[in-house]
Amino acid sequence: MTVSENRAKLQFTLQKIAIAWSFCLVVTSFNRVAVSDLGLPAAAIALLIGVYTLFGPIQPIIGRMCERWPIFGYRRTPYMIIGTLLGSLAFPFMPGVLLEMQAGNPLAWVQCLLLFCAFGICIATQANVFLDLLNDVTTTETRSRVVTLTWTVQALSMAFWAWIFALLMPVYSHDAMQAMYSLSPLIMVGITILGLWGLETRLTAQQLADIKNNPPKQVKMLEPIKESLAVISYNRQAMLFFVFIIFSLLSVFLQDMLQEIWAGDLFGMAAGEATIFQRLYNGLQTVGMAACGIFVGVTAKRRLAASTDPDNEKTLPFNLGKKLLLLGAVLSIVGFLLLGWAAYAQNLTLFYAFYCLSAFSLGLYVFPSISFMADMTVPGQESKYLGLWSLGQVIGLFLSFTVSGALYSTFVESDALAANQAFALIFLLQAAMIVLCYAVVRGVTIEGLQAGARDGESPQNIQPTTQKEMTS
């Protein structure tokens, strides 16, 4: 069943608002309380949080389960609700588990790991079912507009939830944290149900019989991963773009784990006050992405009419995307360098100003980066290359948590550096990573990627290409 564009926008946006609650709890509350208020080691906490990202590769398995085993005649809705319920039920247990971890109970660390595994399954289920259901009920013409709106609102809703968290827990206390986290099942499941209501058409008895008699083939999780990873062994352009994705996500999201921590260490902010950085970050990054999108949309008609270049038949041509990426990269580098200075000086006014510049600039940087991932494919091998880019996202997000925690533990918790020196250095590292990202992707082209794929398909061409790369 196809639904109207307005209805699709409303209901799929509600699904993203629901999951944004959980993301915001993790990056604005859990990490802050664990590290700053309870004194748990940042490296260990970051590793536990990062575990949820590692469940991304199970999405094909979840998708095939939905196809093989409908529940009450529905393939998508029940799995979305079950996944959301599983993830949301992890949060009410987290406040008590954190206190047990602080008390030195080793079993509590295992319990915390299991809670984030449940959250990881939730996110993987949400991501898979969201895309499958979107494909079921929208048209080719409306789908991209729905996706753009939902992702934009997800970022804005994280800023909104951060504001709500500041009201619910202005200063850390176990009781306030428990009350806030206990709202998770009600809010997440309730909003998700509203987002799903009436979207999916129930399968007929004949359709259910067909699935029972001819079930879809099973998916082996490791085979698609191995197939995608094999690409980087013979396609140098794919390897470079894979590195670009990993370090882009690492540089953009490295601060997610640290926002509320630097608020306490550098400026003495309480838990509620510290959420201001999450609000600024998501709000202004969204503004940056929107500004980029508006510019592309406004200039698209004139550019398409004036150009005879086949590449410019796209709304965002690759060459224009690189120019926008360079602009975003330069401004982001400047923003991080200035943030390093403000952190070292512990000047809150300057820090706010430069943080706003940084967040807006990263929005300009992220917009073309997302577009590149959709365009960097090879005809007939789309799933292989898109799978590789998805794997790069998983690795980049996992590293963004673990590296940030490791840096904080190495520099601050060990007393190797004062907090202002440590955060200044971290911002300098983010600037350096943006430089690396642009240097890596600068020479990458769609034509080069596709040429590398053709070489890789011919066994006799693989060895000479590899030798040339080794000597260059």
Side-chain angles (χ1 to χ4, degrees):
M1 179 185 75
T2 301
V3 301
S4 68
E5 181 176 350
N6 287 336
R7 180 180 176 182
K9 286 179 176 178
L10 173 62
Q11 292 197 262
F12 283 103
T13 293
L14 286 172
Q15 295 173 37
K16 289 298 183 183
I17 291 173
I19 204 63
W21 167 278
S22 61
F23 281 135
C24 200
L25 272 186
V26 170
V27 300
T28 68
S29 176
F30 182 88
N31 61 312
R32 154 75 195 218
V33 169
V35 177
S36 294
D37 296 304
L38 299 182
L40 296 170
I45 294 299
L47 181 61
L48 287 172
I49 293 174
V51 161
Y52 91 82
T53 66
L54 300 180
F55 284 84
I58 73 169
Q59 289 184 38
I61 303 295
I62 295 172
R64 193 52 55 90
M65 288 173 59
C66 296
E67 297 289 343
R68 287 173 65 92
W69 298 299
I71 299 175
F72 301 121
Y74 294 95
R75 295 178 299 173
R76 321 289 187 206
T77 303
Y79 285 94
M80 177 74 91
I81 294 174
I82 291 170
T84 304
L85 182 63
L86 174 65
S88 66
L89 287 175
F91 287 96
F93 294 99
M94 289 182 181
V97 167
L98 279 178
L99 289 183
E100 289 295 314
M101 291 162 64
Q102 185 191 38
N105 182 354
L107 182 60
W109 289 88
V110 178
Q111 292 172 333
C112 190
L113 174 64
L114 294 176
L115 292 177
F116 275 103
C117 286
F119 179 55
I121 294 172
C122 166
I123 299 303
T125 303
Q126 279 259 358
N128 180 271
V129 177
F130 176 91
L131 292 174
D132 284 344
L133 189 56
L134 182 74
N135 188 64
D136 290 343
V137 303
T138 60
T139 65
T140 304
E141 292 76 20
T142 64
R143 195 166 299 137
S144 61
R145 293 194 290 268
V146 174
V147 170
T148 300
L149 178 66
T150 57
W151 282 101
T152 301
V153 173
Q154 177 174 304
L156 292 176
S157 59
M158 285 188 67
F160 171 76
W161 290 132
W163 174 68
I164 295 296
F165 297 163
L167 298 177
L168 294 175
M169 192 176 71
V171 178
Y172 166 71
S173 73
H174 175 72
D175 290 342
M177 185 181 185
Q178 186 65 66
M180 185 167 73
Y181 279 51
S182 295
L183 292 173
S184 297
L186 176 63
I187 289 176
M188 292 175 64
V189 176
I191 297 177
T192 298
I193 288 175
L194 291 176
L196 294 169
W197 194 268
L199 273 184
E200 185 179 9
T201 302
R202 189 175 184 179
L203 298 174
T204 64
Q206 183 59 51
Q207 289 172 319
L208 290 171
D210 291 342
I211 292 173
K212 184 176 180 180
N213 295 329
N214 299 289
K217 294 181 180 179
Q218 293 184 355
V219 174
K220 295 181 180 179
M221 185 175 67
L222 293 181
E223 284 187 4
I225 295 176
K226 290 179 180 178
E227 186 180 55
S228 292
L229 284 175
V231 169
I232 64 178
S233 67
Y234 61 80
N235 192 331
R236 186 171 183 269
Q237 295 262 306
M239 182 270 291
L240 290 173
F241 194 70
F242 184 64
V243 172
F244 165 75
I245 292 173
I246 292 173
F247 278 90
S248 288
L249 287 167
L250 176 57
S251 58
V252 170
F253 293 105
L254 184 69
Q255 59 190 337
D256 261 15
M257 174 71 186
L258 300 173
Q259 288 171 338
E260 282 68 31
I261 297 175
W262 76 51
D265 286 0
L266 297 179
F267 308 114
M269 291 181 171
E273 293 177 294
T275 62
I276 183 63
F277 292 110
Q278 187 65 225
R279 284 176 270 166
L280 288 173
Y281 180 72
N282 282 285
L284 289 172
Q285 188 179 91
T286 303
V287 171
M289 293 179 68
C292 215
I294 291 170
F295 171 78
V296 171
V298 167
T299 60
K301 282 188 177 180
R302 183 181 58 188
R303 189 175 60 251
L304 293 173
S307 177
T308 57
D309 185 349
D311 181 52
N312 284 335
E313 293 177 4
K314 301 172 185 175
T315 303
L316 179 58
F318 204 73
N319 57 353
L320 176 59
K322 282 197 177 179
K323 292 177 182 177
L324 294 174
L325 184 74
L326 176 59
L327 174 63
V330 170
L331 291 177
S332 297
I333 292 165
V334 172
F336 283 135
L337 293 176
L338 291 173
L339 271 177
W341 171 42
Y344 184 80
Q346 293 183 263
N347 186 314
L348 182 56
T349 302
L350 288 178
F351 196 91
Y352 275 141
F354 299 149
Y355 193 69
C356 290
L357 170 63
S358 174
F360 177 80
S361 302
L362 287 173
L364 300 180
Y365 178 84
V366 167
F367 183 89
S369 301
I370 294 173
S371 174
F372 289 170
M373 281 189 278
D375 290 337
M376 290 290 287
T377 58
V378 175
Q381 302 181 48
E382 287 87 355
S383 62
K384 185 188 300 185
Y385 284 86
L386 291 175
L388 183 60
W389 312 152
S390 296
L391 186 59
Q393 292 178 65
V394 169
I395 296 171
L397 285 173
F398 177 73
L399 289 177
S400 71
F401 287 109
T402 55
V403 171
S404 61
L407 289 173
Y408 185 81
S409 291
T410 301
F411 294 150
V412 180
E413 291 176 344
S414 67
D415 293 325
L417 296 173
N420 65 325
Q421 296 172 328
F423 283 110
L425 181 56
I426 288 171
F427 287 124
L428 293 179
L429 289 174
Q430 284 185 276
M433 281 188 280
I434 294 289
V435 173
L436 172 65
C437 289
Y438 186 76
V440 165
V441 82
R442 183 180 179 186
V444 172
T445 63
I446 297 175
E447 294 78 14
L449 180 85
Q450 294 175 349
R454 288 192 295 270
D455 289 342
E457 290 169 359
S458 304
Q460 67 269 25
N461 291 338
I462 296 177
Q463 185 62 30
T465 301
T466 304
Q467 290 174 349
K468 180 179 179 181
E469 290 170 357
M470 292 176 63
T471 57
S472 61

